[in-house]
Amino acid sequence: MSVLTLQDAVRRAEAGMARAAELGVDMNIAIVDAGGHLLHFVRMDQAWLGSIDIALKKARTAALFRMPTAAIGRISQPGGPCYGIEATNDGLVSFGGGLPIIDGHGRTAGAIGVSGGDVQQDTLVAEACLAAA
Amino acid sequence: MSVLTLQDAVRRAEAGMARAAELGVDMNIAIVDAGGHLLHFVRMDQAWLGSIDIALKKARTAALFRMPTAAIGRISQPGGPCYGIEATNDGLVSFGGGLPIIDGHGRTAGAIGVSGGDVQQDTLVAEACLAAA
Amino acid sequence: MSVLTLQDAVRRAEAGMARAAELGVDMNIAIVDAGGHLLHFVRMDQAWLGSIDIALKKARTAALFRMPTAAIGRISQPGGPCYGIEATNDGLVSFGGGLPIIDGHGRTAGAIGVSGGDVQQDTLVAEACLAAA
Amino acid sequence: MSVLTLQDAVRRAEAGMARAAELGVDMNIAIVDAGGHLLHFVRMDQAWLGSIDIALKKARTAALFRMPTAAIGRISQPGGPCYGIEATNDGLVSFGGGLPIIDGHGRTAGAIGVSGGDVQQDTLVAEACLAAA
């Protein structure tokens, strides 16, 4: 299991905040380690308070399942194969904005969770965090 | 109430792990007694961390209702007779992968919960645990 | 209610990390707003995972009561006037390391929570965050 | 962070059960990874149901703080420096029976939690698990 450093997390969050500023939306950005434990968090000044928990849970969800949160959403709909999965693990988030950080050996080093805009905006900011390796 | 021994649970988990290896998916396997209390648990080395809680809750759900978790899923959909039931009992899981262990007298001796693959894979592994009586 | 900015929180966390480095202990530092909502969080690379939640709860406790967490501890002991208060508010922390941030008009702008060392070390780091106005 | 395998955890649990049998007490034994996530669990057939959760929490506590649970107990007493710490992290256990597994490089690879006897018995069984490297 690769280790994500605080320095790395700060750099990723800064890239995400720069992208959020371009989009004109204040975001919450959470970065967790491979075990889903919080490493770094920033709330931009006008971001929704209700998005703090969503960002935290998106990051944790993406780490615990080593996949984007949107992939969980594709199986968790009513009638879908994993309907209700959000109620496990003290609460998961199954819409976009959470992305795992995969290292060069295919191992999950941690995950990013972004919340504050619409799902497309959240995903763009999470992708900016991911690209800032 | 029939009594499931640890020895029995270990044998069932080993059968499940052998089936999981055939399927090429690392699984979490939880086995509980008739009261839903944890008896035995294994996490195969690459299994998702987020599936630990799902395996535990599938086993507990199947024991508490003495039916497969997938049967709960058929009544818990929006508009269904037990919509929202997952939020009871500190969290149930209502998709496949949880199976009760019924003894020769029709009594529930415990239950198996498997999580780590897709629902079909989870169910195949749970069935392998069940067959290993 | 005064407004604590992310920029201010980052500067305080950096002062805290510098103090922690002097003390030779890796810390978790959480900064919340006057409503107790998370604004900024850092985990230094070797900090205890169990201290993440303690840092978050210390900051939240100090904000919600506008007093140092150690002051809560003086009234929460067995036989004390608020014995058991820690079980309220989804969990408070009543030992040192949480400090409110008071502005020049005596208003609470937010709070700092530090955890990772012994209580004296945690308090020294929280004080460094506080002094970095 | 070192990685604890299921095979290693099973061998440690077996050593613990052998020691428990010598002591004549049925135990719950939980083994978690360095992030506190469950890897393996066994409940011996006559072990208290109420000790399941204690074993799980002892293992998680020892992993999250990288120290024996008894060390937490020395600081968590009324009037002690960390009174009330048990209420953090969704519940810690601060009496003996939880031990971290430290690898040859001083890194925490996981932890063991044992519950079912008195604290001395629990500790002896946890030590047997630890020695079974």
Side-chain angles (χ1 to χ4, degrees):
Chain A
M1 184 183 299
S2 295
V3 172
L4 197 67
T5 65
L6 176 58
Q7 188 181 16
D8 185 44
V10 169
R11 193 172 57 247
R12 289 175 187 276
E14 284 172 352
M17 287 192 282
R19 188 76 179 94
E22 287 173 11
L23 295 169
V25 184
D26 275 14
M27 294 288 187
N28 294 276
I29 301 175
I31 300 184
V32 300
D33 65 22
H37 295 289
L38 189 60
L39 183 54
H40 186 253
F41 177 86
V42 289
R43 169 158 53 100
M44 296 171 74
D45 290 326
Q46 302 302 319
W48 291 321
L49 297 179
S51 283
I52 298 170
D53 187 52
I54 297 176
L56 293 168
K57 283 193 166 68
K58 282 181 179 174
R60 195 162 165 279
T61 300
L64 293 181
F65 291 94
R66 304 195 295 260
M67 64 177 73
T69 50
I72 304 281
R74 284 192 285 275
I75 56 174
S76 68
Q77 300 298 315
C82 294
Y83 174 60
I85 193 173
E86 297 92 345
T88 66
N89 289 284
D90 292 323
L92 301 174
V93 172
S94 63
F95 45 91
L99 292 175
I101 301 169
I102 312 291
D103 73 11
H105 304 282
R107 289 175 299 212
T108 301
I112 299 152
V114 176
S115 183
D118 60 35
V119 169
Q120 189 179 358
Q121 291 168 325
D122 294 353
T123 303
L124 288 170
V125 171
E127 287 169 351
C129 295
L130 195 63
Chain B
M1 184 183 298
S2 294
V3 173
L4 197 67
T5 65
L6 175 59
Q7 187 180 19
D8 185 43
V10 168
R11 192 172 58 245
R12 290 174 186 277
E14 284 172 353
M17 286 193 282
R19 189 75 179 96
E22 285 174 10
L23 296 169
V25 184
D26 275 14
M27 294 288 187
N28 294 276
I29 301 175
I31 299 183
V32 300
D33 65 20
H37 296 290
L38 188 60
L39 182 54
H40 187 254
F41 177 87
V42 289
R43 168 158 54 100
M44 296 171 74
D45 290 326
Q46 301 303 319
W48 291 321
L49 297 178
S51 282
I52 298 169
D53 187 54
I54 297 176
L56 292 167
K57 283 193 166 69
K58 282 180 179 174
R60 198 162 161 278
T61 300
L64 293 180
F65 292 94
R66 304 196 293 265
M67 63 179 73
T69 50
I72 305 282
R74 284 192 286 276
I75 56 174
S76 68
Q77 299 296 317
C82 294
Y83 173 60
I85 193 174
E86 298 92 346
T88 68
N89 290 283
D90 291 324
L92 301 174
V93 171
S94 63
F95 44 92
L99 293 174
I101 300 169
I102 312 291
D103 73 11
H105 304 282
R107 290 174 298 210
T108 301
I112 298 151
V114 176
S115 182
D118 60 35
V119 169
Q120 189 179 357
Q121 292 169 325
D122 294 352
T123 303
L124 288 170
V125 170
E127 287 169 351
C129 295
L130 196 64
Chain C
M1 183 185 296
S2 293
V3 173
L4 196 66
T5 65
L6 176 58
Q7 187 180 18
D8 185 44
V10 168
R11 192 171 59 247
R12 290 175 187 276
E14 284 172 353
M17 287 192 281
R19 189 75 179 96
E22 286 174 10
L23 295 169
V25 183
D26 275 13
M27 293 288 187
N28 294 277
I29 301 175
I31 300 184
V32 301
D33 65 21
H37 296 290
L38 188 61
L39 182 54
H40 184 45
F41 177 86
V42 291
R43 169 158 53 100
M44 295 172 75
D45 289 325
Q46 301 303 319
W48 291 321
L49 297 178
S51 282
I52 298 170
D53 187 56
I54 297 176
L56 293 168
K57 283 193 165 69
K58 282 180 179 174
R60 197 162 161 279
T61 300
L64 293 180
F65 291 95
R66 303 195 294 264
M67 64 179 72
T69 50
I72 305 281
R74 283 192 286 275
I75 57 174
S76 67
Q77 299 296 317
C82 294
Y83 172 61
I85 193 173
E86 298 93 345
T88 68
N89 289 282
D90 292 323
L92 301 174
V93 171
S94 63
F95 44 90
L99 292 174
I101 301 169
I102 313 291
D103 73 9
H105 304 283
R107 290 175 298 210
T108 301
I112 299 151
V114 176
S115 183
D118 60 35
V119 169
Q120 189 179 358
Q121 291 169 325
D122 293 352
T123 303
L124 288 170
V125 170
E127 288 169 350
C129 295
L130 195 63
Chain D
M1 183 183 298
S2 294
V3 172
L4 197 66
T5 65
L6 175 59
Q7 188 180 18
D8 186 45
V10 168
R11 192 171 58 245
R12 289 175 187 278
E14 284 172 353
M17 287 192 283
R19 189 75 179 95
E22 287 174 9
L23 296 168
V25 184
D26 275 14
M27 293 288 187
N28 294 275
I29 301 175
I31 300 184
V32 301
D33 66 20
H37 295 289
L38 189 61
L39 183 54
H40 184 45
F41 177 85
V42 291
R43 169 157 53 97
M44 295 172 74
D45 289 326
Q46 301 303 319
W48 291 322
L49 296 179
S51 282
I52 299 170
D53 188 53
I54 297 176
L56 293 168
K57 282 193 167 69
K58 282 181 179 174
R60 194 161 165 279
T61 301
L64 293 181
F65 291 94
R66 304 196 294 260
M67 64 178 72
T69 51
I72 305 281
R74 284 192 285 275
I75 56 175
S76 67
Q77 300 298 315
C82 294
Y83 173 60
I85 192 173
E86 297 92 345
T88 67
N89 290 284
D90 293 322
L92 301 174
V93 172
S94 63
F95 45 91
L99 292 175
I101 301 169
I102 312 291
D103 73 11
H105 303 282
R107 291 174 298 211
T108 301
I112 299 151
V114 176
S115 183
D118 60 36
V119 168
Q120 189 179 358
Q121 291 169 324
D122 294 352
T123 303
L124 288 170
V125 170
E127 288 169 350
C129 295
L130 195 63

